[in-house]
Amino acid sequence: MLAVRWYLRYGLSYRDVEELLAERGIKVDHVTIYRWVQKFTPLLIDAAGVPVGAEYSVAGADQGKHSRA
């Protein structure tokens, strides 16, 4: 699951994640990581409660951008 999180959070390639795992003594092929991402991403989205297609903004970050005085 950590490999999937790294891939999703940091925008790494499957080969980058493969290399990070190898540095930690875990031998896994990049295709396996691809399969994990396909299998576990929907579960992570469900667990996080993120609505599909939701838009996010920092509270107050865009206030006043389009206001006219």
Side-chain angles (χ1 to χ4, degrees):
M1 195 63 85
L2 183 61
V4 176
R5 186 178 188 287
W6 284 342
Y7 174 79
L8 296 173
R9 173 63 180 94
Y10 300 109
L12 302 171
S13 70
Y14 298 121
R15 291 181 191 265
D16 289 339
V17 176
E18 176 184 12
E19 186 176 324
L20 286 170
L21 291 173
E23 289 173 359
R24 288 155 177 78
I26 303 168
K27 186 158 175 69
V28 63
D29 190 67
H30 65 277
V31 175
T32 302
I33 297 167
Y34 167 80
R35 291 178 183 146
W36 291 345
V37 168
Q38 299 304 308
K39 181 175 183 176
F40 294 115
T41 297
L43 299 174
L44 290 171
I45 291 171
D46 288 344
V50 178
V52 175
E55 293 184 25
Y56 297 95
S57 65
V58 176
D62 61 348
Q63 289 180 355
K65 271 188 180 177
H66 303 288
S67 63
R68 295 182 181 181

